[in-house]
Amino acid sequence: MPFSFFKKKSSSDQKTEPLRKESVELKTDQFFTGLHEEDKSLFRSEEKNGYALVIEEGSRKGKKIILIGTEILIGRSVSNDITVDDLMVSEKHVLLTIKRGEIPHLEDLDSTNGTLVNGKRVLKIQLKEGDSIQIGRTLFRFKMDI
C-alpha cells in the first residue's frame, strides 16, 4: 500500500517550483506509532493485531499507540518500532510478540535497567488486558484495541 508525501526543494533555491511527489511502501509486518483513531482505517484488518499501548506516565502521557504486526520492538534506538526517549531505556529493551491464536507475551532483551510488569521485574511473561509495563520512566498499559 504506497503512501505519498511531498518534499520541498532546498531553501537555497530561490525559484518557486512545484513540490516533488515521492512515495513510501508500507509493509504488512510493520507497525507505526502515533496513529490517531481516524488513521486506523489506513490498515487492513488483518494487519491490526487487536492490541494497543496507552502511555500512563512519561513524556507522552495519554498517547495511545496502535500495535500492528506480530513482533514489536521497544527501546531507545530510533530503529525500534516504538522509541522511548529515556536514558534509562536500553537501545533494544523489550520485544512484544502478538500472534493470532496465541497469548501475547513480552520479553526483556537483557536490558540494563530491566522491565517491570505490574510492578515486578520480569524477563519473559504472558500479557493480559490491563497489565502495566514500565520501561525506564515510561509506564504503558496493555489494552485490547477493538
Side-chain angles (χ1 to χ4, degrees):
M1 173 191 313
F3 283 92
S4 297
F5 65 94
F6 295 92
K7 184 176 180 182
K8 291 183 178 181
K9 295 268 185 191
S10 78
S11 59
S12 63
D13 189 1
Q14 297 299 324
K15 296 179 186 175
T16 305
E17 294 185 20
L19 298 175
R20 188 178 63 184
K21 187 175 180 180
E22 296 181 6
S23 95
V24 176
E25 186 73 25
L26 301 180
K27 296 187 169 74
T28 302
D29 61 350
Q30 291 177 325
F31 99 103
F32 305 88
T33 62
L35 289 180
H36 297 285
E37 290 299 315
E38 63 271 13
D39 295 330
K40 286 184 190 181
S41 63
L42 296 173
F43 300 97
R44 296 188 307 270
S45 61
E46 64 269 15
E47 292 175 316
K48 296 182 214 172
N49 60 36
Y51 292 95
L53 290 175
V54 177
I55 301 174
E56 293 190 340
E57 291 180 23
S59 63
R60 295 162 53 194
K61 184 177 180 176
K63 185 174 179 104
K64 181 179 183 180
I65 302 169
I66 309 302
L67 302 177
I68 297 174
T70 58
E71 292 187 339
I72 296 114
L73 194 56
I74 303 173
R76 198 174 71 240
S77 172
V78 295
S79 67
N80 293 310
D81 300 308
I82 298 176
T83 300
V84 179
D85 188 19
D86 179 347
L87 292 176
M88 293 183 68
V89 176
S90 295
E91 292 285 318
K92 295 189 183 307
H93 198 103
V94 160
L95 177 66
L96 290 177
T97 304
I98 304 171
K99 294 183 180 175
R100 194 175 301 255
E102 294 181 17
I103 297 172
H105 67 271
L106 172 145
E107 180 180 356
D108 183 275
L109 300 175
D110 198 27
S111 66
T112 303
N113 293 310
T115 302
L116 302 178
V117 174
N118 300 324
K120 296 180 182 169
R121 190 169 180 151
V122 298
L123 296 177
K124 190 170 185 175
I125 191 169
Q126 291 181 341
L127 293 173
K128 61 187 180 312
E129 167 77 16
D131 280 346
S132 68
I133 302 166
Q134 184 160 357
I135 300 170
R137 290 181 283 263
T138 301
L139 181 67
F140 297 95
R141 182 76 53 191
F142 185 70
K143 297 282 209 174
M144 294 284 293
D145 181 53
I146 302 172

